[in-house]
Amino acid sequence: MAVHIAECGNVYKDIVHNIEITSFASTGTLSIAPYVEGLTSDEGEYLDEAQRCLTVNALRACVVLGWCATIARIHKKIEEVGFDKFSQATVEMAGKTTGRFKFFTKKQSIQSRSELQTVFDTDLLWVLEYLQLIDNNQHQRLRHCFEFRNNSAHPGLAPIRGPNLYSFYSDISEIVLKNEKFALAPSH
């Protein structure tokens, strides 16, 4: 009887050990809630839908919607800063012959949110850096998030797993969605 109990103890230890080392990060348990909680802006619709995507193992769709929420906030912030200031920044950047912005050549004359939607996301990131809403490191991280969004929206062999998703949401949350520089004035 004592041998039988000892054997069970070893089996129990083996089971516990396997549970400890096995990853249970299945897509059904993934959640972006820690990265988006407390947000009350319109991009919440994108983020609610992104969370629902996780319940059906649609990680790529979750990434695409996260980027949509990020760009929605950026657009609103640019509108708040002023389309004229945004347009002027592109003219100044295009005039640079030295330094970080010397290769930027896309002058914009934006007067509405609809016109802003025609500006490529990568160009938006350059202008955000020029306006000092983000720095070079944040620009590069957001560029990586944009590339991750592109990889998610197009066929490819690189799988998306929980850690990839969390890295993406951590960056968009810290750099844009929860960043004080991107806070929006209360609507009247």
Side-chain angles (χ1 to χ4, degrees):
M1 183 84 162
V3 171
H4 181 66
I5 293 173
E7 288 175 7
C8 287
N10 288 336
V11 170
Y12 178 76
K13 286 179 185 176
D14 288 342
I15 291 172
V16 169
H17 178 69
N18 283 332
I19 290 172
E20 290 173 338
I21 64 171
T22 302
S23 171
F24 285 98
S26 71
T27 55
T29 61
L30 293 175
S31 175
I32 59 171
Y35 303 104
V36 300
E37 63 191 4
L39 298 175
T40 58
S41 301
D42 293 337
E43 63 267 2
E45 288 182 30
Y46 289 116
L47 298 171
D48 288 343
E49 190 172 343
Q51 180 60 52
R52 288 194 308 274
C53 287
L54 294 178
T55 64
V56 295
N57 195 27
L59 275 66
R60 292 181 306 152
C62 182
V63 168
V64 171
L65 287 163
W67 187 254
C68 290
T70 303
I71 292 300
R73 173 67 70 85
I74 289 170
H75 281 192
K76 287 178 202 159
K77 188 62 181 180
I78 290 170
E79 184 174 17
E80 190 176 275
V81 167
F83 297 127
D84 290 341
K85 187 172 182 178
F86 176 87
S87 298
Q88 181 60 35
T90 66
V91 170
E92 291 173 14
M93 291 168 66
K96 299 281 184 188
T97 58
T98 60
R100 180 149 169 77
F101 302 102
K102 68 182 173 190
F103 296 112
F104 188 90
T105 60
K106 298 180 182 179
K107 298 177 188 176
Q108 302 285 342
S109 179
I110 303 299
Q111 298 176 1
S112 69
R113 189 180 288 181
S114 293
E115 289 178 350
L116 186 60
Q117 291 173 342
T118 66
V119 178
F120 291 122
D121 294 356
T122 52
D123 294 335
L124 288 175
L125 297 179
W126 279 105
V127 178
L128 293 177
E129 183 180 343
Y130 186 79
L131 293 172
Q132 298 181 351
L133 290 169
I134 59 176
D135 68 10
N136 177 32
N137 291 338
Q138 292 169 317
H139 179 169
Q140 295 307 314
R141 296 268 291 274
L142 287 175
R143 179 61 189 246
H144 176 74
C145 290
F146 173 68
E147 293 298 331
F148 192 60
R149 174 260 177 228
N150 288 345
N151 293 338
S152 298
H154 301 287
L157 298 177
I160 297 173
R161 304 279 189 247
N164 309 117
L165 183 79
Y166 290 151
S167 175
F168 171 83
Y169 270 91
S170 174
D171 282 349
I172 65 170
S173 177
E174 293 297 319
I175 298 171
V176 176
L177 299 175
K178 292 185 177 182
N179 184 339
E180 286 297 317
K181 289 185 176 184
F182 288 90
L184 301 172
S187 310
H188 300 308

